[in-house]
Amino acid sequence: MTGATRVLVLNSGSSSVKYQLIDMADGARLGSGLVERIGGGEVPDHTAALDLVAEQLAANGTGLDSPALAAVGHRVVHGGTRFTAPTLITDEVLQAVRELVPLAPLHNPANITGIETTRKLRPDLPQVAVFDTAFHATLPESAARYAIDTATADRYSVRRYGFHGTSHQYVSRRAAQLLGKSPESVNVIVLHLGNGASAAAVAGGVCVDTSMGLTPLEGLVMGTRSGDLDPAVLLHLHRVGGLSVDEIDDLLNRRSGLAGLCGDNDMREVTRRLDQGDPQAKLAFDIYVHRLRKYVGGYYAVLGRVDAVVFTAGVGENAVPVRAAAMAGLEALGIELDPARNSARSREPRLVSREGSRVAVAVVPTDEELEIARQTFSLVSDLG
Ligand SMILES: Nc1ncnc2c1ncn2[C@@H]1O[C@H](COP(=O)(O)OP(=O)(O)O)[C@@H](O)[C@H]1O
Ligand SMILES: CC(=O)OP(=O)(O)O
Ligand SMILES: [Mg+2]
């Protein structure tokens, strides 16, 4: 090591690129930014988004050419069965991430673009991949396996991998801290509701179930993704509707979810229309919340005892009506939301449940970038 202590983190999501430059010596955030609504008019794709990020960093005098930079940490969404820990990126690792593209078509390509762009600018700099799937490697077989023929499943590596793991890990620990308890002593349900959305059941710091599966398509209703449906829907669309496999893929990943139901993938827009009495937006909202509640109930049963339900990511942190509707009428489960606390705006981790609610309800802003920076710096420090 050269004594360099800064880590640049690139978090490419399906609709946004977030970045942070953190000095790990003192935790100082030296630069951060967000390019969102990728795929919209102004930012056509992730390459354009990364150009904007590089420009912003250079304008701040904290460009990639800085000798104080120790490493770049990348969020990589799919790590398959192979990657269950932060990994130094080599040609061979990059190739393996490329081979996983079919399992995360909206994400791994963006992550690869970030890695390649960085390499071009700083070929000497260590780059580390921190995988969304890693935190879910602890799922018991009963939760990880689908009930299909075992030999077929094994042959094609078909199982539940789960995603948003870095967020679920960070948020579940931070929630324990908010409750004044150790992560080992609490059971929490984390609801990561961004453009992509997933739920996780975390028992004593260990993930025991999660809603996304082989790919980030399963589970909750998302911005443009359907989440759960009868697998026979695909067969029906193919056999009776004549849709090709690629058309069905596009339908379920890009033209479903909130966007498919009401034409808007952004919850800000959906709730604005809801307030104006738009019936299409209302139905989309209701379907979104109904699915969410099914997972809360399901994970309650999986965990047996729940200490907290924790909301995070763009929708979870900001959408007051989503939290209100998701937690409504659950008093019998010991879940009591406090309407005033729920409506109060804050960027801090906070409780939004009533004093005395048996199960706490919390909002914990996720910080995937900090978690990725920690894991990245720890790995490059160990390399010496
Ligand atoms: N104030 C808000 N109210 C409701 N929803 C919001 C608000 N701010 C952001 N969002 C939602 O958060 C989503 C983005 O979440 P984020 O976690 O940043 O997404 P991702 O990482 O998946 O790109 C947006 O699509 C939008 O629906
Ligand atoms: C895995 C996933 O869905 O990520 P995002 O929410 O960033 O799209
Ligand atoms: Mg995200």
Side-chain angles (χ1 to χ4, degrees):
M1 284 275 289
T2 54
T5 54
R6 293 180 183 177
V7 175
L8 173 67
V9 176
L10 292 180
N11 173 356
S12 302
S14 52
S15 72
S16 64
V17 175
K18 294 168 189 153
Y19 69 89
Q20 287 217 21
L21 180 65
I22 305 178
D23 194 329
M24 301 314 287
D26 56 7
R29 313 267 175 147
L30 303 170
S32 68
L34 162 70
V35 179
E36 57 181 342
R37 299 194 167 101
I38 296 174
E42 281 164 47
V43 190
D45 56 23
H46 282 85
T47 305
L50 284 160
D51 285 345
L52 284 175
V53 169
E55 263 174 43
Q56 288 175 16
L57 284 165
N60 277 337
T62 51
L64 270 170
D65 53 349
S66 165
L69 207 53
V72 178
H74 295 269
R75 173 186 185 210
V76 178
V77 165
H78 213 308
T81 43
R82 174 171 163 190
F83 299 111
T84 57
T87 303
L88 188 71
I89 298 168
T90 60
D91 289 343
E92 197 259 328
V93 169
L94 187 56
Q95 186 50 33
V97 170
R98 221 174 255 129
E99 280 162 20
L100 289 163
V101 163
L103 295 182
L106 300 183
H107 296 91
N108 276 30
N111 308 145
I112 292 164
T113 303
I115 294 166
E116 287 175 334
T117 306
T118 308
R119 270 198 170 180
K120 240 177 269 160
L121 299 169
R122 279 292 300 273
D124 59 308
L125 206 59
Q127 297 196 60
V128 174
V130 176
F131 296 92
D132 258 41
T133 42
F135 182 59
H136 304 299
T138 53
L139 291 192
E141 290 292 277
S142 55
R145 286 214 172 245
Y146 295 108
I148 63 170
D149 170 65
T150 302
T152 307
D154 288 347
R155 179 157 177 210
Y156 297 105
S157 304
V158 171
R159 50 170 279 135
R160 178 181 308 289
Y161 292 94
F163 301 89
H164 296 134
T166 308
S167 177
H168 288 299
Q169 180 177 22
Y170 173 84
V171 168
S172 56
R173 279 195 199 137
R174 189 66 191 77
Q177 205 184 334
L178 183 68
L179 298 178
K181 295 188 173 152
S182 70
E184 296 73 32
S185 68
V186 296
N187 289 350
V188 299
I189 298 172
V190 182
L191 304 172
H192 175 111
L193 312 177
N195 189 44
S198 70
V202 183
V206 175
C207 190
V208 295
D209 204 355
T210 193
S211 59
M212 283 178 165
L214 173 74
T215 78
L217 179 56
E218 193 181 352
L220 302 175
V221 177
M222 312 183 206
T224 65
R225 288 168 249 167
S226 62
D228 294 335
L229 41 75
D230 179 349
V233 170
L234 283 71
L235 307 177
H236 179 75
L237 291 175
H238 180 62
R239 289 190 186 127
V240 178
L243 274 71
S244 70
V245 171
D246 285 345
E247 284 168 339
I248 295 172
D249 188 333
D250 182 63
L251 173 77
L252 300 181
N253 273 303
R254 297 186 169 86
R255 295 191 289 119
S256 295
L258 294 172
L261 290 166
C262 75
D264 272 309
N265 74 304
D266 195 308
M267 188 56 87
R268 285 168 283 207
E269 202 49 29
V270 177
T271 49
R272 195 188 59 74
R273 286 171 54 189
L274 181 70
D275 287 344
Q276 296 175 341
D278 180 326
Q280 241 191 333
K282 162 122 177 56
L283 182 58
F285 181 87
D286 289 349
I287 294 170
Y288 184 99
V289 168
H290 177 74
R291 185 82 52 83
L292 193 54
R293 290 166 65 85
K294 287 214 281 192
Y295 274 92
V296 171
Y299 288 174
Y300 204 119
V302 167
L303 291 168
R305 187 202 83 228
V306 177
D307 297 286
V309 177
V310 193
F311 287 85
T312 194
V315 175
E317 292 164 26
N318 297 298
V320 173
V322 170
R323 293 196 299 261
M327 299 287 96
L330 300 183
E331 293 78 12
L333 297 179
I335 299 174
E336 295 177 68
L337 200 71
D338 182 305
R341 285 181 177 179
N342 187 43
S343 303
R345 295 263 158 214
S346 164
R347 300 207 139 275
E348 297 302 310
R350 61 198 183 275
L351 292 178
V352 292
S353 44
R354 248 189 247 287
E355 208 64 56
S357 178
R358 185 153 51 80
V359 176
V361 182
V363 177
V364 174
T366 193
D367 200 340
E368 290 166 301
E369 294 78 19
L370 176 61
E371 187 63 38
I372 291 169
R374 282 179 185 153
Q375 296 186 19
T376 297
F377 194 64
S378 158
L379 183 87
V380 297
S381 302
D382 288 348
L383 291 175

